[in-house]
Amino acid sequence: MANISYRIKPRTGKIELPEKLGFGQIFTDNVFEMDYSPEKGWHNHTIKPLSNLDVHPASMFIHYGQALFEGMKAFRTVDDEVVLFRPHKHFERLNNSARRLVMPTVDVDEMVEALKELVYLERDWIPTKTGEALYIRPFMIGTDSALGVRPSNTHKLIIMLSPVGAYYPEGFKPVKILIQDDYVRAVRKGTGECKTPGNYAASLLGAEIARKQGFTQVLWLDAVELKYIEEVGTMNIFIEFKDEIVTPELTGGILHGVTRASVIEMLKDMGKPINVRRIQLTELLEAYETGRLTSVFGSGTAAIISSVGELRYKDKTLILNQGEPSQLEIDLFNEIQAIQTGRTPDRFNWLVKVEVPVPAV
Ligand code: COI
């Protein structure tokens, strides 16, 4: 494990968090940062005050989008412990994104240790109300300054922290989603399964059109046939039919959600019939007509478990479970929150304790 140098300013005064946190509006005092070069590998491991980036205007990530990010969470448990939720999985996914984008991978264990040090230092920022957490945003950017299109040789990785509440403006109420086929988010064999800014940029126009029509998000269809349900962009999707629960299989265009994987494990543990398979939009529409459709919900680090109250596809409006969260959605939300906050035993081994004898600062 590389030694982390600390260049922090000691905080003066108490942290006052607003009553309603929203998502990603507030940042903690300090970040973790390290640099990569082919000669030195990852170096300059530092925890230092959050500040603006000083980058050359020709930095490759600005022009050619060689960048990636992750999103995970830390919680304070009812026993006053600080825990990270599945951090190894997140850094493994970061490495998958890095390989696809020709960026350097990180040592997962070393990153988890670095994150523990940062979170421990910033532990007083962890909010504790239901649905709140300390959101962790690692990101990596290609920093060579050159205008030819090629992989950058130098890179920077930063981890910043943000106390968050509900991701959607609705809070934890069911969201309204537009099924969109005028645009696509990502195509199989492209970068759809990576957490890379381009996927989010590609989703903005469709999402903006949806927002103007009163919808919170877009449910994207596959980019080849515009036939299969893929994901929402800010969350993976689950469909609860009367006889089975289905989530789309990972075909290359869908993010490998850590919360998605956790929900699948929880559903199996609850003895529910969960199937991972492709789902045609027509199956969903027909199930609504015939009464086979019970509920639709999303899963994501930011979104947690988000009930979908209404779906619109062209002139068809589907009101799901009278616009209220279904019992399954409530159970999953409560269960994942109970695990994350230590109100129920961590029987899946998802939590990593931040027990830090960190260097005195
Ligand atoms: C997450 O759930 O962590 C995400 O990255 C979704 C969104 C905030 C981009």
Side-chain angles (χ1 to χ4, degrees):
M1 162 78 190
N3 273 340
I4 299 178
S5 57
Y6 279 77
R7 281 196 239 128
I8 62 164
K9 265 202 292 209
R11 185 168 354 99
T12 50
K14 194 172 170 303
I15 295 162
E16 301 282 356
L17 293 176
E19 187 52 30
K20 245 187 150 185
L21 278 171
F23 186 85
Q25 310 286 323
I26 301 165
F27 299 93
T28 73
D29 296 326
N30 296 287
V31 299
F32 169 83
E33 184 174 314
M34 63 182 187
D35 296 306
Y36 180 88
S37 70
E39 304 76 39
K40 296 189 191 164
W42 286 110
H43 59 285
N44 280 348
H45 300 60
T46 313
I47 289 179
K48 59 181 212 177
L50 172 77
S51 66
N52 289 345
L53 286 178
D54 181 11
V55 290
H56 193 284
S59 288
M60 293 197 128
F61 76 94
I62 299 173
H63 301 268
Y64 306 124
Q66 201 186 16
L68 57 82
F69 69 95
E70 262 306 317
M72 62 187 116
K73 280 178 172 171
F75 301 85
R76 191 176 282 281
T77 69
V78 285
D79 299 325
D80 214 20
E81 283 175 336
V82 175
V83 293
L84 305 173
F85 187 72
R86 311 195 79 177
H88 297 84
K89 276 243 169 244
H90 283 280
F91 283 114
E92 281 158 17
R93 189 173 67 179
L94 180 145
N95 278 343
N96 287 338
S97 300
R99 281 185 275 268
R100 176 65 179 83
L101 294 160
V102 200
M103 299 178 89
T105 56
V106 297
D107 181 310
V108 169
D109 291 331
E110 181 174 286
M111 279 296 93
V112 173
E113 290 311 308
L115 180 58
K116 282 184 189 171
E117 292 201 22
L118 179 67
V119 169
Y120 183 77
L121 178 72
E122 303 291 66
R123 63 196 178 281
D124 292 344
W125 289 89
I126 304 175
T128 51
K129 289 204 279 269
T130 305
E132 293 183 342
L134 186 67
Y135 185 78
I136 300 164
R137 172 56 65 90
F139 67 97
M140 196 195 298
I141 50 178
T143 46
D144 279 9
S145 47
L147 293 181
V149 180
R150 61 163 175 80
S152 182
N153 291 311
T154 58
H155 300 267
K156 188 179 274 303
L157 182 144
I158 295 178
I159 306 178
M160 55 186 187
L161 307 176
S162 171
V164 297
Y167 181 70
Y168 297 119
E170 290 86 341
F172 295 106
K173 292 209 228 40
V175 292
K176 285 171 69 176
I177 291 200
L178 183 67
I179 302 173
Q180 170 70 262
D181 63 7
D182 289 334
Y183 304 96
V184 293
R185 171 190 167 271
V187 67
R188 226 179 303 155
K189 296 184 193 257
T191 56
E193 61 186 18
C194 302
K195 266 188 115 54
T196 188
N199 293 337
Y200 297 82
S203 75
L204 292 178
L205 178 58
E208 190 55 11
I209 291 167
R211 193 188 61 77
K212 287 194 177 135
Q213 294 175 31
F215 296 91
T216 319
Q217 283 288 324
V218 170
L219 174 56
W220 301 102
L221 300 178
D222 78 277
V224 178
E225 294 172 85
L226 295 173
K227 210 161 123 180
Y228 297 96
I229 288 167
E230 294 232 306
E231 62 151 287
V232 173
T234 47
M235 56 188 189
N236 292 111
I237 200 86
F238 285 78
I239 299 172
E240 183 189 4
F241 296 112
K242 287 233 148 59
D243 49 347
E244 62 169 343
I245 303 159
V246 181
T247 193
E249 72 178 298
L250 303 172
T251 50
I254 301 176
L255 186 78
H256 293 215
V258 175
T259 312
R260 171 187 178 278
S262 308
V263 168
I264 292 172
E265 275 190 66
M266 288 194 296
L267 288 169
K268 284 185 181 159
D269 188 62
M270 290 158 94
K272 301 281 183 192
I274 166 73
N275 290 317
V276 177
R277 63 170 173 84
R278 300 193 84 185
I279 316 163
Q280 292 199 19
L281 174 60
T282 49
E283 180 181 351
L284 178 78
L285 299 175
E286 273 167 33
Y288 183 74
E289 295 302 328
T290 59
R292 184 177 158 240
L293 181 62
T294 306
S295 74
V296 175
F297 60 94
S299 69
T301 298
I304 318 176
I305 306 294
S306 285
S307 173
V308 178
E310 183 179 323
L311 276 174
R312 166 89 57 84
Y313 177 65
K314 300 198 189 296
D315 59 352
K316 289 190 174 51
T317 299
L318 284 58
I319 305 292
L320 301 156
N321 199 46
Q322 287 104 46
E324 294 298 324
S326 72
Q327 193 53 50
L328 179 71
E329 291 162 352
I330 294 168
D331 291 347
L332 287 168
F333 181 87
N334 288 342
E335 182 65 5
I336 198 160
Q337 288 271 301
I339 293 172
Q340 289 168 333
T341 54
R343 278 180 284 113
T344 200
D346 176 25
R347 62 187 183 287
F348 303 105
N349 250 324
W350 286 338
L351 304 183
V352 172
K353 272 191 207 155
V354 177
E355 304 164 304
V356 190
V358 286
V361 289

Tab-separated table of all heavy atoms in Angstrom, residues 23 69 71 135 137 167 195 200 234 301-302, ligand 1:
chain	number	residue	atom	x	y	z
A	23	PHE	N	-29.173	15.777	-3.936
A	23	PHE	CA	-28.101	14.891	-4.386
A	23	PHE	C	-26.931	15.672	-4.979
A	23	PHE	O	-27.114	16.453	-5.917
A	23	PHE	CB	-28.627	13.905	-5.439
A	23	PHE	CG	-27.597	12.893	-5.816
A	23	PHE	CD1	-27.421	11.742	-5.065
A	23	PHE	CD2	-26.769	13.115	-6.906
A	23	PHE	CE1	-26.443	10.821	-5.395
A	23	PHE	CE2	-25.786	12.194	-7.243
A	23	PHE	CZ	-25.628	11.043	-6.482
A	69	PHE	N	-16.039	7.185	-14.130
A	69	PHE	CA	-16.327	7.479	-12.731
A	69	PHE	C	-17.003	6.289	-12.065
A	69	PHE	O	-17.362	5.316	-12.716
A	69	PHE	CB	-17.147	8.766	-12.581
A	69	PHE	CG	-18.572	8.679	-13.076
A	69	PHE	CD1	-19.605	8.383	-12.207
A	69	PHE	CD2	-18.883	8.915	-14.415
A	69	PHE	CE1	-20.921	8.313	-12.649
A	69	PHE	CE2	-20.197	8.848	-14.861
A	69	PHE	CZ	-21.209	8.549	-13.984
A	71	GLY	N	-19.694	5.388	-8.400
A	71	GLY	CA	-20.557	5.974	-7.376
A	71	GLY	C	-20.821	4.918	-6.332
A	71	GLY	O	-21.278	3.822	-6.658
A	135	TYR	N	-22.140	9.951	-0.222
A	135	TYR	CA	-21.909	9.441	-1.580
A	135	TYR	C	-20.436	9.625	-1.932
A	135	TYR	O	-19.847	10.666	-1.651
A	135	TYR	CB	-22.799	10.206	-2.558
A	135	TYR	CG	-22.739	9.691	-3.982
A	135	TYR	CD1	-23.428	8.536	-4.351
A	135	TYR	CD2	-22.012	10.359	-4.953
A	135	TYR	CE1	-23.391	8.067	-5.651
A	135	TYR	CE2	-21.967	9.891	-6.263
A	135	TYR	CZ	-22.658	8.739	-6.603
A	135	TYR	OH	-22.619	8.277	-7.892
A	137	ARG	N	-17.627	9.581	-4.879
A	137	ARG	CA	-17.487	9.701	-6.332
A	137	ARG	C	-16.004	9.667	-6.730
A	137	ARG	O	-15.323	10.676	-6.748
A	137	ARG	CB	-18.161	10.995	-6.795
A	137	ARG	CG	-17.960	11.384	-8.254
A	137	ARG	CD	-18.376	10.319	-9.237
A	137	ARG	NE	-19.773	9.982	-9.269
A	137	ARG	CZ	-20.689	10.570	-10.041
A	137	ARG	NH1	-20.354	11.545	-10.835
A	137	ARG	NH2	-21.954	10.152	-10.018
A	167	TYR	N	-32.133	10.868	-4.602
A	167	TYR	CA	-31.584	11.296	-5.893
A	167	TYR	C	-32.610	12.092	-6.706
A	167	TYR	O	-32.286	13.097	-7.314
A	167	TYR	CB	-31.131	10.061	-6.691
A	167	TYR	CG	-30.546	10.470	-8.015
A	167	TYR	CD1	-29.311	11.120	-8.066
A	167	TYR	CD2	-31.229	10.267	-9.212
A	167	TYR	CE1	-28.767	11.542	-9.275
A	167	TYR	CE2	-30.692	10.683	-10.422
A	167	TYR	CZ	-29.465	11.314	-10.445
A	167	TYR	OH	-28.939	11.747	-11.635
A	195	LYS	N	-18.978	3.142	-16.749
A	195	LYS	CA	-19.437	4.408	-16.176
A	195	LYS	C	-18.533	5.488	-16.766
A	195	LYS	O	-17.496	5.835	-16.211
A	195	LYS	CB	-19.360	4.368	-14.659
A	195	LYS	CG	-20.701	3.934	-14.069
A	195	LYS	CD	-20.780	4.036	-12.594
A	195	LYS	CE	-21.779	5.059	-12.093
A	195	LYS	NZ	-23.124	4.943	-12.589
A	200	TYR	N	-23.664	9.379	-20.406
A	200	TYR	CA	-24.588	10.299	-19.749
A	200	TYR	C	-24.870	11.485	-20.669
A	200	TYR	O	-26.010	11.948	-20.763
A	200	TYR	CB	-24.017	10.715	-18.375
A	200	TYR	CG	-23.910	9.491	-17.485
A	200	TYR	CD1	-22.821	8.630	-17.579
A	200	TYR	CD2	-24.944	9.138	-16.633
A	200	TYR	CE1	-22.744	7.468	-16.819
A	200	TYR	CE2	-24.882	7.975	-15.871
A	200	TYR	CZ	-23.773	7.139	-15.970
A	200	TYR	OH	-23.717	5.981	-15.227
A	234	THR	N	-29.800	6.274	-14.919
A	234	THR	CA	-29.407	6.526	-13.533
A	234	THR	C	-29.760	5.321	-12.653
A	234	THR	O	-29.505	5.349	-11.454
A	234	THR	CB	-30.113	7.771	-12.967
A	234	THR	OG1	-31.489	7.671	-13.299
A	234	THR	CG2	-29.525	9.034	-13.552
A	301	THR	N	-27.043	2.950	-6.976
A	301	THR	CA	-26.409	3.474	-5.765
A	301	THR	C	-27.103	4.760	-5.349
A	301	THR	O	-27.492	4.930	-4.187
A	301	THR	CB	-24.915	3.727	-6.015
A	301	THR	OG1	-24.313	2.481	-6.325
A	301	THR	CG2	-24.242	4.328	-4.795
A	302	ALA	N	-27.263	5.666	-6.310
A	302	ALA	CA	-27.898	6.943	-5.991
A	302	ALA	C	-29.396	6.759	-5.774
A	302	ALA	O	-29.979	7.295	-4.836
A	302	ALA	CB	-27.631	7.945	-7.107
B	1	COI	C1	-24.948	6.128	-9.152
B	1	COI	O1	-25.991	5.557	-8.853
B	1	COI	O2	-23.959	6.127	-8.409
B	1	COI	C2	-24.826	6.843	-10.389
B	1	COI	O3	-23.726	7.009	-10.807
B	1	COI	C3	-26.034	7.348	-11.053
B	1	COI	C4	-25.995	8.800	-11.362
B	1	COI	C5	-25.838	9.697	-10.187
B	1	COI	C6	-25.082	9.134	-12.471
